[in-house]
Amino acid sequence: MIAKTFFGFEEILAKELQILGAQDVEQGVRMVSFAGDKGFMYKANLSLRTALKILKPIYYFRANNELGLYKGISGIDWSKYLNANMTFVIDTTVHSDYFKHSQFVSQKSKDAIVDQFRNRTGARPSVDKDYPDVRINIHIDKDQVSVALDTSGNSLHQRGYRTATNIAPINEVLAAGMLLLSGWEGQGHFIDPMCGSGTILAEAAMIACNIPANLNRKEFAFEKWNDWDNELFDQIVDSLMKKIKEFHYTIQGYDKAPSAVLKAKDNIKNANLDEYVTIAEKNFFDTEKMTQGPLHMVFNPPYGERLDIEMERFYKDIGDTLKQSYPGTNAWFITANLEALKFVGLKPSRKIKLFNGSLEARLVKYEMYEGSKRTKFQDRTEE
């Protein structure tokens, strides 16, 4: 199978798959391939935090023209996956000099499938772009054609808990990936000081408690397949539920906009996480650290594409607030405004290249020590 993901998340997705028990895990670009049985396919869709889709390849062939494509698709016995009463849709990705347009490939492939049914049975399945029974994925690289079934359906970032969103909410998979890259495992206090509609808070709580990422999701594509096994799926859900653990620290969110606070509270409640997460209406720049011991901070500050703010001043205030009010804190945030990072006035200890939608971004880490870094180092050498 193939798990698709964002650029920069390949390694953490591979690690997720290994921990889950996948075989033959191999990283690619924006994807990780792995092997597993039907039960594992269900488990992967339910559990993986950094996967966007799980594809199940069913056929590979070569084609460098329209006829070759038609013949290749016709070479698959589609009655294994579809019957004439079902609906389907084809998603195509093309990186080839032989095929220029993904829509053309989808159309030709659709013709091959419906012709096969019509020739054999006289009836044919129809296309439904919105709610298909089967979603087929075709990927062409040069003359290599890969045909897969989409096991997930809608992208797996659609977890099912988020009903209310703010301006430009962060994608759930991006939020989970940032948290995992930051080393968050739920072993301390957590804060998102610019929480918007609460996505980072929800993902942080699910990681801390080992709650499957897609437990709240209404449906997966494989539930409409001919070989859907409801009993096996329920067993998988039960076994994952038994691995949920207690969390003994605090997860806090702040936002200065009352509307964002209301939306965040709604989403946290929808995800059944309100016993772990508290949200308050506060401006980060007027706050200070409220907890003892190390604090883990991850946030997604606004940047020019989203809100009209005075960038230089805003990023300087982030740096000043961290420096003056948040000792003993590992602070991580993502920004697509690479110029603005100069104004934070602190040296990041890590910078990771990611993409937020189409925008190239950086996930940066600032380490705030208790006291100054120099005295911490001196204490250590004196010991």
Side-chain angles (χ1 to χ4, degrees), residues 333-345:
F333 68 81
I334 188 172
T335 183
N337 192 325
L338 308 185
E339 192 62 27
L341 287 175
K342 293 174 187 170
F343 304 114
V344 175

Side-chain angles (χ1 to χ4, degrees), residues 6-31:
F6 290 130
F7 173 88
F9 287 176
E10 298 89 351
E11 194 176 328
I12 48 172
L13 176 54
K15 190 178 170 190
E16 277 198 272
L17 279 158
Q18 283 158 346
I19 291 167
L20 212 55
Q23 306 293 308
D24 307 332
V25 177
E26 278 184 41
Q27 291 178 44
V29 179
R30 294 188 171 87
M31 54 79 75

Side-chain angles (χ1 to χ4, degrees), residues 165-181:
T165 60
N166 232 24
I167 304 165
I170 193 165
N171 177 295
E172 292 85 336
V173 166
L174 180 58
M178 284 165 49
L179 287 159
L180 293 174
L181 284 171

